[in-house]
Amino acid sequence: MTATSDTAHAFFEACESGKGWAECAQFCDADATFSAQSGAIADIATLADYTEWMKGLLGILPDGAYELTAFAEDIERETVVASAVFTGTHTGEGGPVPPTGQAAKSDYVYVIKLSGGKVSHMTKVWNDGWALKQLGWA
């Protein structure tokens, strides 16, 4: 692995384990941006806010975990693509409804752009409607 993929992997692990911006910031530009075409997170524009959203999600789905299914680097474009499956059960307080006890198993992809050795932008590709329905939220 290269330094770029090492940084992206460390960021991925910190983000997906709910460490929030306090831990993720060391791998990112201070003004790193975020985008997604998923209704639940479409209004999030910064990576700091997204990592905090993930931290909050793991409070609502305390057994939340991921299985990394692929991890690839495009050296020429300073981009890493990570695909994973997230699983979690709504047993914690919070969320749009009281705990449902229902579980989700949801595929997603991160396209992580780096610049100068730090994450500068991330796009999440995720079918949030499918996951929200599994959790009993939609």
Side-chain angles (χ1 to χ4, degrees), residues 38-105:
S38 299
I41 54 176
D43 292 337
I44 298 175
T46 69
L47 205 46
D49 287 345
Y50 177 72
T51 61
E52 289 299 309
W53 181 85
M54 278 299 299
K55 182 178 178 179
L57 182 65
L58 289 173
I60 299 166
L61 311 174
D63 66 343
Y66 69 89
E67 175 190 352
L68 189 61
T69 57
F71 191 84
E73 178 182 11
D74 180 333
I75 294 171
E76 181 181 341
R77 292 168 188 81
E78 290 187 275
T79 300
V80 170
V81 177
S83 109
V85 178
F86 179 87
T87 56
T89 309
H90 183 197
T91 57
E93 294 300 322
V97 298
T100 64
Q102 293 179 295
K105 184 174 183 178

Side-chain angles (χ1 to χ4, degrees), residues 96-121:
V97 298
T100 64
Q102 293 179 295
K105 184 174 183 178
S106 186
D107 295 292
Y108 63 101
V109 175
Y110 285 168
V111 180
I112 304 168
K113 176 71 178 159
L114 292 96
S115 179
K118 298 261 186 171
V119 177
S120 59
H121 177 80

Side-chain angles (χ1 to χ4, degrees), residues 12-25:
F12 180 91
E13 287 184 348
C15 180
E16 296 307 281
S17 60
K19 302 294 186 202
W21 188 242
E23 179 71 22
C24 294

